[in-house]
Amino acid sequence: MADQIAAHADFFSFGTNDLTQTTFGLSRDDSSRFLPTYIQNKIVSDDPFQVLDRDGVGQLCVSAPSAAAA
C-alpha cells in the first residue's frame, strides 16, 4: 500500500522493531527466553532486535519506497 500512502505523504518512517516483530512473528518482550537457543542452534544468526535482518526486514524497507515510486 506504499504507493497509495505516498500519494498523500511527504515521507516514510519505518519502526524496524515493529516491522521485525511482524516479519518474524516474534514478540520482543518474550523472545529473550528462546532467542539465545535459536542463535546457538543457528536458527537465526543474530538477535533480530539487535542486528537488522537486511535480507528480510531491510528488503521490506527498501521495497516500499520503490513500490511507491512506480
Side-chain angles (χ1 to χ4, degrees):
M1 295 188 62
D3 58 335
Q4 295 172 23
I5 296 169
H8 306 283
D10 294 326
F11 65 93
F12 283 89
S13 176
F14 293 100
T16 54
N17 280 326
D18 293 333
L19 193 53
T20 295
Q21 289 187 96
T22 302
T23 301
F24 280 86
L26 300 174
S27 165
R28 184 177 187 175
D29 296 333
D30 299 328
S31 65
S32 63
R33 293 181 296 160
F34 56 83
L35 270 176
T37 302
Y38 280 22
I39 294 167
Q40 181 181 4
N41 291 315
K42 297 183 173 41
I43 296 169
V44 294
S45 58
D46 297 290
D47 179 339
F49 298 109
Q50 299 297 318
V51 178
L52 180 66
D53 168 42
R54 291 176 184 246
D55 293 334
V57 177
Q59 187 58 39
L60 290 172
C61 293
V62 170
S63 65
S66 298

